[in-house]
Amino acid sequence: MVRPADMLVVDIALVGLRFDGARRRLVRAPDAPNAFVLVGLPPQHVAEEVPDDLNKVTAPMKAVTAGSTRLAFSVPADIKELELSLDGLLDWERLVPLRVPDGQQSPDTPGTTVFQGVPRSVIEFPIRLLISYDEPVDWLGGTRPQQADGRTALWHARLHAAPNGAEPDAPDSGVKLRAFAMVTNGGTLPPGAPYVDIVLQDLVTLTSRMPLPGGPDGPLEVHSAPLHAEQFLLTSMGASAHLHGAWEPLLKPALDRYQKAGRRPPNLVAYDHITGLGRDQYVRIVHHGHLSTGHEALHMQEYKRLFIARPGDGIVAYLQREDRIIVKQPEMTYGADTGFQHEGREMPFRVLRITDRVTPVIIPPDFPPNPPRPPEEDKPDIKAFWVRLKSSGEDHEFTLIGTDSEGRKASFTMPLIFVPDGLGDQEQTQLKDLLDPKKETKTEQRQNRELHGQVMAMAQPPDGARGSTSHAVGSLTFQLGVPGAPVVGQLCVAAAEVRVPAVEQFTPNAGNLKVQFNDTFLQQKMEGHPAGAYLDLITPLNLTFGAQQAGGLSSPNAAVKLITSRAGVLPDIFKSDHAIDAITDADAAKAIKAAFGGAQLLGIDLSQYLNLKKLVKDQLVTLRQLGEDEIAQILGDPNRLLPAPVLRMRDLADGQGKELRYVWKPPLDPPTGGALPLIDVSKASLILDARTRRSKDALDQSTVQGSLSHFALDFLGMARVDFKELKFKTGPGQKPDVAASGVELTFRGPMEFVNTLRSALPADVFGAGAFIDVQPTGIRAGYKLAIPTLPLGVFNLANLSLSAELAIPFDGKPVSFRFSVCEQKHPFNVTVSLFGGGGYFSMLVDASGVQEVEGAIEFGGAAALDLGVASGGVSIMAGIRFMLAKNEVKLSGYLRCNGFLTVLGIVTVSVEFYLELTYEKKGKQSMVRGRGTLTVSVRIAFFSKSVSLELERTFAGAPVDPTFAQCFSKEQDWPEYCAAFAA
């Protein structure tokens, strides 16, 4: 039926009624137990496209209408007849509206509205959602067109709650509706429309009162509550309605049961819908979830109709979407009972407070892609997302205030992820994707947060040691889950940049150091670590005393890594995932050997000389509680050791500044196997005690003192220098004070012949006749011995000298020893009758081995003849010179022959022949060079002439030996070579 006056369009069907023509009335059919009036109305809702940017809208907006509405009324038994007219059939106040029974989702026959054999009222509002009444209601509306002031009102019927005793004209605030099913074949929604499947499914789950099977533990928990309609009018152009729904979110145990049952839990907590004549004016959809910090939060979607003036379109009303995050739980508490893998030790904050309550408009996580996906793929799913601002596209920086274990507060900003409830198994995958640097280029920037030097405790300090774990923090690197763990979840701190005051005393330019939590601390608390460590330096820091500070004796370049609450900053002498009781002495020895690989003793790697047999784990444990008195006792007891350098920082009296002390007494022992060690420390004891004082004016004064006693330097088994004690002390503005006692030099092996000359040397090398020179650059000590000419018949030895020199530099260079028999510029001479020659030899060795060996020897003879009328002479000389250095080898030999003859002083003839052969090698390149010269000279009276003939040849060798493949011919030699090994 169509009534143009008020635009009524209605389809009425009658069940159980018949027409009484005589009375022109509708009466009950005699064989029908019940009578029904069924009313069909046009679609009551229109879903419109929601553009993401109005400036890009160039085509008409898309829209889709809902399906038709079917109202079912039962004719009460006391009504015997109905007037057969449009006005009579629209008088619904006397009829009983029928609703879909609870627990019913599908009609008896698909496509109908008949449930349990009775027609029911089914309204599709909004699009794709089928609703019915939740309790008895009435429909109020005029049966005739309503006119006033020459105008006719649009036909409408108002839904009204009908509680017992209610007045007919009572307000509609009590109307309750229930969504019992979805339309599954409704086609594709316009882009951006809010009525996606997950929203409609949640409305059905939360309002239908349908029990959800959950397996043997019973039905799943559902916080059911109906939709409240402050207004609900049906018209021929669509419904004018104001719906509201609110539900409590599910707790974690209930969410876990949904995941176990394989169902998605509802996360819709609020729904508001306002329409006018079927067109949306305001829609609010709120989903429950949490931020990546763990704070409970809501994701709110708002759709508003805004009137916008557009060129060429006039004023157009568009739907606009605005998404925001609402922080429902401002404060989040962290600790041992909050789900952390390591009882909360990986999270230095005990409380995080978010000051933001509502974010500005953010980018919707499920907005239509551009270009749109195909319809079969356009299935928006619930997902986690970074909270990004729509205005700039950048992350929204939430402001957080953290409270550490000592009650200090530190504020910072950080982008966060919103994680909706109900992700289930997808949560881990989605979070990993959002944190994957390959997929999210801003991951590192998002996780690294600046704290700008705010002081906070990085760990719970031990009792009575408040502030011992506090640092000025430059930045924190947050991560969801413990680094390396397969499960992504709780927010924790993966790394940080902090200032370490003790380290800064040695390295003033260190600044913020990158640290991470110590593995043993995470696994077993601070008490589980032998030194009480809680942080590790990601890059170990070399604390180097300059050799000028340590008197050249020792350069303790041990790399510190562990930051402890009581023992300061230490090298990593404890590397194990087990409890301290399970650590063996071998574990401790191996750890400290690796920790001090960079320490130097007289220019030699100290780790080679650590005595692992004397090192036990109990000594490492004592480092935690050592005081000044205990350290003094250890230094004075020859049987006690400090196996690792100990750092101590204290305030000077009267607030004059701070003092940092570095003290070490390591166990020493010669290395086993391999080449003979340069330093014999089998009975040695080393003490290094360094103090750095920093005044209030940031001026540093360093004092280093120590001693090395009962040690010897053994140079390749050829020379040995024994020391009873070597002491050193340095201070500001003064050169190193070095004193050596009990020093003795002896020769061994091939050099033992020098000991036969001991009668010419003093008993103590550093006594009379020897020299010692202490300079700011180092120590030089040794002797030079000149042996007088020894004439023994026809044998004569002259210009012979011996020298030995020991050098201990203060610039960190290794100790060196040089021995020589004469020098190149002052060779020794030896003659036997008419034969003679000379030579020299020198050798330089240091901690790394032989640096240079050089020597030469020359020999030959000469004869002369004078007969008066004629005279002449002849000489023949030959020699060999060699030089061996690290990257260079040179060996050469020569032969020189001279002869002359003079007759009557008028004619002179002389001949000279010279032949030289040299082998040189530099690096991998070798070369042999030969050169020969023949010179003939003739002089007659005042005329002379000389002729020379020269010949030189050079042969260069290959830089490397040929390979195996280069030595064989593939076609000929290789088959023959293989056949030689055949059976």
Side-chain angles (χ1 to χ4, degrees):
M1 298 181 182
V2 178
R3 190 166 64 191
D6 54 2
M7 301 183 66
L8 170 65
V9 178
V10 64
D11 179 15
I12 299 178
L14 305 175
V15 178
L17 296 172
R18 67 179 180 83
F19 178 65
D20 185 347
R23 303 173 56 195
R24 301 188 62 82
R25 292 277 182 170
L26 293 173
V27 299
R28 291 179 179 275
D31 56 347
N34 298 304
F36 305 97
V37 176
L38 307 180
V39 178
L41 295 174
Q44 297 298 308
H45 184 252
V46 178
E48 301 177 40
E49 179 181 351
V50 181
D52 101 1
D53 187 352
L54 292 177
N55 296 322
K56 298 180 180 179
V57 176
T58 58
M61 306 299 290
K62 298 179 181 179
V64 177
T65 62
S68 60
T69 290
R70 189 79 164 176
L71 302 181
F73 299 92
S74 173
V75 181
D78 57 346
I79 298 179
K80 303 301 182 182
E81 59 183 27
L82 295 174
E83 180 182 351
L84 182 59
S85 66
L86 182 58
D87 294 343
L89 295 178
L90 292 179
D91 185 7
W92 298 339
E93 295 185 35
R94 299 188 304 157
L95 306 179
V96 178
L98 299 176
R99 65 189 184 96
V100 176
D102 294 347
Q104 296 292 317
Q105 290 186 296
S106 302
D108 298 345
T109 303
T112 68
T113 59
V114 177
F115 294 81
Q116 298 177 346
V118 177
R120 309 288 181 173
S121 297
V122 176
I123 304 172
E124 185 175 340
F125 183 89
I127 188 170
R128 290 185 173 182
L129 186 68
L130 302 180
I131 63 175
S132 189
Y133 325 123
D134 188 58
E135 57 185 19
V137 295
D138 291 329
W139 285 100
L140 304 179
T143 58
R144 297 175 179 271
Q146 301 177 18
Q147 295 181 340
D149 299 330
R151 297 180 181 179
T152 302
L154 181 70
W155 177 88
H156 62 276
R158 176 177 300 176
L159 186 62
H160 176 266
N164 294 331
E167 297 295 333
D169 295 329
D172 299 331
S173 59
V175 177
K176 299 178 181 179
L177 301 175
R178 178 169 51 85
F180 65 89
M182 289 174 51
V183 177
T184 57
N185 56 351
T188 302
L189 287 174
Y195 312 106
V196 295
D197 289 348
I198 56 174
V199 176
L200 303 182
Q201 288 171 0
D202 284 356
L203 286 172
V204 172
T205 301
L206 293 169
T207 64
S208 66
R209 296 201 186 95
M210 282 287 297
L212 300 179
D217 296 332
L220 298 173
E221 181 180 355
V222 179
H223 297 163
S224 296
L227 289 169
H228 293 260
E230 296 180 11
Q231 181 189 56
F232 199 86
L233 283 79
L234 297 182
T235 74
S236 299
M237 298 185 65
S240 294
H242 186 173
L243 303 183
H244 171 70
W247 303 270
E248 288 295 324
L250 295 171
L251 300 179
K252 191 175 187 309
L255 294 174
D256 293 340
R257 287 200 59 210
Y258 272 88
Q259 183 175 355
K260 184 178 179 181
R263 295 183 64 101
R264 186 186 66 82
N267 65 351
L268 186 68
V269 293
Y271 176 76
D272 287 281
H273 196 171
I274 300 175
T275 60
L277 300 181
R279 298 188 68 190
D280 292 330
Q281 306 301 316
Y282 177 81
V283 180
R284 185 172 73 107
I285 301 170
V286 182
H287 295 282
H288 185 269
H290 63 273
L291 297 172
S292 49
T293 53
H295 294 75
E296 186 179 1
L298 304 174
H299 173 208
M300 180 179 69
Q301 303 169 212
E302 286 187 311
Y303 299 80
K304 303 176 183 179
R305 188 170 296 279
L306 302 178
F307 290 86
I308 300 174
R310 285 177 51 82
D313 290 344
I315 297 178
V316 183
Y318 288 102
L319 277 177
Q320 284 290 282
R321 175 177 176 175
E322 294 181 351
D323 285 41
R324 291 178 174 84
I325 297 297
I326 302 173
V327 180
K328 189 176 181 182
Q329 178 190 8
E331 283 192 356
M332 183 70 183
T333 302
Y334 305 94
D337 301 326
T338 54
F340 281 98
Q341 183 176 356
H342 300 304
E343 300 180 356
R345 290 185 289 277
E346 59 268 60
M347 182 59 172
F349 292 115
R350 299 282 76 89
V351 176
L352 270 184
R353 180 177 183 84
I354 298 180
T355 61
D356 306 69
R357 290 297 177 265
V358 181
T359 68
V361 178
I362 66 172
I363 297 177
D366 55 353
F367 219 79
N370 189 15
R373 290 186 293 261
E376 62 274 8
E377 299 180 7
D378 189 16
K379 298 179 180 179
D381 295 322
I382 186 171
K383 61 182 179 181
F385 58 90
W386 286 103
V387 180
R388 296 185 298 155
L389 298 177
K390 190 173 184 180
S391 59
S392 62
E394 299 296 327
D395 294 322
H396 173 65
E397 299 276 351
F398 288 84
T399 300
L400 295 94
I401 300 177
T403 304
D404 65 11
S405 56
E406 294 186 338
R408 295 189 190 89
K409 297 186 182 299
S411 62
F412 56 96
T413 62
M414 183 166 63
L416 299 177
I417 298 174
F418 178 79
V419 183
D421 293 342
L423 284 179
D425 295 335
Q426 288 295 317
E427 180 174 345
Q428 295 295 314
T429 302
Q430 291 190 22
L431 288 178
K432 287 181 180 179
D433 289 344
L434 291 173
L435 298 171
D436 188 352
K438 298 179 181 179
K439 299 180 180 180
E440 293 284 347
T441 57
K442 295 183 179 180
T443 297
E444 183 175 352
Q445 177 184 349
R446 287 163 167 163
Q447 293 178 328
N448 296 336
R449 297 289 95 197
E450 295 290 337
L451 266 71
H452 305 289
Q454 299 178 78
V455 178
M456 59 171 288
M458 292 298 294
Q460 176 72 43
D463 295 338
R466 181 178 176 84
S468 61
T469 61
S470 297
H471 298 268
V473 180
S475 66
L476 293 175
T477 300
F478 290 91
Q479 184 166 326
L480 291 180
V482 177
V487 178
V488 178
Q490 281 278 25
L491 182 74
C492 68
V493 172
E497 291 187 359
V498 303
R499 300 187 75 91
V500 185
V503 170
E504 290 179 350
Q505 302 302 318
F506 285 97
T507 53
N509 299 323
N512 292 328
L513 301 177
K514 294 184 178 181
V515 298
Q516 62 187 9
F517 286 111
N518 179 268
D519 289 339
T520 305
F521 164 73
L522 291 177
Q523 298 289 341
Q524 308 168 36
K525 301 183 180 179
M526 198 177 299
E527 294 77 9
H529 194 282
Y534 59 96
L535 290 178
D536 290 346
L537 294 174
I538 295 178
T539 302
L541 188 64
N542 291 324
L543 294 185
T544 304
F545 281 98
Q548 68 278 5
Q549 289 181 311
L553 174 67
S554 177
S555 180
N557 298 336
V560 294
K561 184 177 181 180
L562 303 180
I563 301 177
T564 69
S565 59
R566 294 185 184 271
V569 186
L570 300 174
D572 190 3
I573 58 177
F574 181 83
K575 294 182 179 179
S576 177
D577 296 331
H578 306 292
I580 180 60
D581 294 337
I583 299 302
T584 65
D585 292 343
D587 293 333
K590 182 179 179 181
I592 194 171
K593 180 177 176 66
F596 296 107
Q600 298 290 311
L601 179 63
L602 294 171
I604 304 169
D605 185 0
L606 181 59
S607 66
Q608 302 178 24
Y609 297 90
L610 291 175
N611 191 332
L612 304 182
K613 298 179 181 178
K614 295 181 181 180
L615 180 62
V616 296
K617 67 179 182 182
D618 294 338
Q619 294 173 335
L620 305 183
V621 179
T622 60
L623 295 177
R624 296 176 59 180
Q625 306 294 340
L626 285 181
E628 294 293 330
D629 295 338
E630 289 83 358
I631 292 175
Q633 293 176 5
I634 293 175
L635 296 182
D637 188 344
N639 297 320
R640 298 183 64 184
L641 301 168
L642 284 175
V646 176
L647 291 173
R648 286 290 185 272
M649 187 172 66
R650 66 183 180 91
D651 294 325
L652 298 176
D654 302 326
Q656 295 300 312
K658 294 182 179 293
E659 180 187 71
L660 181 68
R661 187 182 186 190
Y662 181 108
V663 60
W664 192 17
K665 187 181 179 183
L668 302 176
D669 200 31
T672 58
L676 193 66
L678 177 61
I679 307 179
D680 183 359
V681 293
S682 56
K683 299 179 181 179
S685 175
L686 170 65
I687 296 176
L688 180 64
D689 192 353
R691 299 172 189 262
T692 298
R693 292 190 176 190
R694 172 166 288 186
S695 66
K696 293 187 296 184
D697 299 328
L699 297 177
D700 293 343
Q701 291 185 346
S702 297
T703 301
V704 182
Q705 61 183 3
S707 65
L708 181 61
S709 58
H710 300 98
F711 73 101
L713 301 177
D714 194 327
F715 294 95
L716 303 178
M718 295 183 294
R720 179 182 176 90
V721 184
D722 288 280
F723 290 82
K724 182 178 180 181
E725 187 175 35
L726 186 63
K727 292 183 178 181
F728 58 91
K729 183 177 181 180
T730 64
Q734 64 184 30
K735 70 178 183 178
D737 181 11
V738 181
S741 61
V743 183
E744 184 178 358
L745 172 64
T746 57
F747 292 94
R748 297 183 175 187
M751 303 295 296
E752 193 171 3
F753 74 93
V754 181
N755 291 328
T756 60
L757 303 175
R758 294 290 295 174
S759 59
L761 302 176
D764 190 334
V765 127
F766 289 92
F771 70 89
I772 177 170
D773 183 17
V774 180
Q775 298 290 337
T777 57
I779 301 174
R780 292 175 59 251
Y783 66 86
K784 291 185 178 180
L785 174 64
I787 299 178
T789 302
L790 300 176
L792 298 173
V794 295
F795 175 84
N796 187 65
L797 179 64
N799 298 330
L800 180 63
S801 65
L802 301 177
S803 67
E805 181 179 323
L806 173 67
I808 303 177
F810 294 160
D811 57 0
K813 295 180 180 179
V815 175
S816 63
F817 175 74
R818 187 176 189 275
F819 172 76
S820 65
V821 179
C822 298
E823 300 290 345
Q824 182 178 12
K825 56 186 177 181
H826 297 295
F828 63 84
N829 296 323
V830 60
T831 60
V832 180
S833 183
L834 57 84
F835 299 100
Y840 69 93
F841 171 80
S842 66
M843 175 182 66
L844 175 64
V845 296
D846 65 10
S848 60
V850 177
Q851 295 298 310
E852 184 178 275
V853 177
E854 184 178 11
I857 187 169
E858 186 179 52
F859 56 91
L865 178 66
D866 189 352
L867 300 177
V869 178
S871 63
V874 63
S875 66
I876 301 176
M877 299 295 294
I880 297 176
R881 181 180 181 273
F882 64 91
M883 189 270 290
L884 172 64
K886 276 192 172 182
N887 298 316
E888 183 177 1
V889 177
K890 187 174 183 180
L891 176 65
S892 61
Y894 71 91
L895 174 65
R896 182 171 63 245
C897 299
N898 289 301
F900 71 93
L901 177 64
T902 301
V903 179
L904 297 176
I906 301 175
V907 178
T908 301
V909 179
S910 62
V911 179
E912 181 182 27
F913 174 75
Y914 180 81
L915 180 65
E916 178 184 352
L917 182 65
T918 302
Y919 169 77
E920 294 181 3
K921 182 176 182 180
K922 293 183 179 180
K924 296 183 178 180
Q925 185 66 45
S926 59
M927 179 178 64
V928 175
R929 181 176 64 248
R931 183 166 63 93
T933 304
L934 177 62
T935 303
V936 178
S937 298
V938 177
R939 183 169 64 87
I940 301 175
F942 301 103
F943 172 80
S944 66
K945 182 66 174 178
S946 177
V947 179
S948 296
L949 299 177
E950 294 185 1
L951 177 65
E952 182 174 345
R953 291 290 185 268
T954 301
F955 306 93
V960 294
D961 295 332
T963 63
F964 180 83
Q966 292 173 339
C967 297
F968 283 81
S969 170
K970 181 179 179 181
E971 292 76 12
Q972 299 178 4
D973 299 334
W974 179 247
E976 184 178 352
Y977 177 81
C978 294
F981 294 92

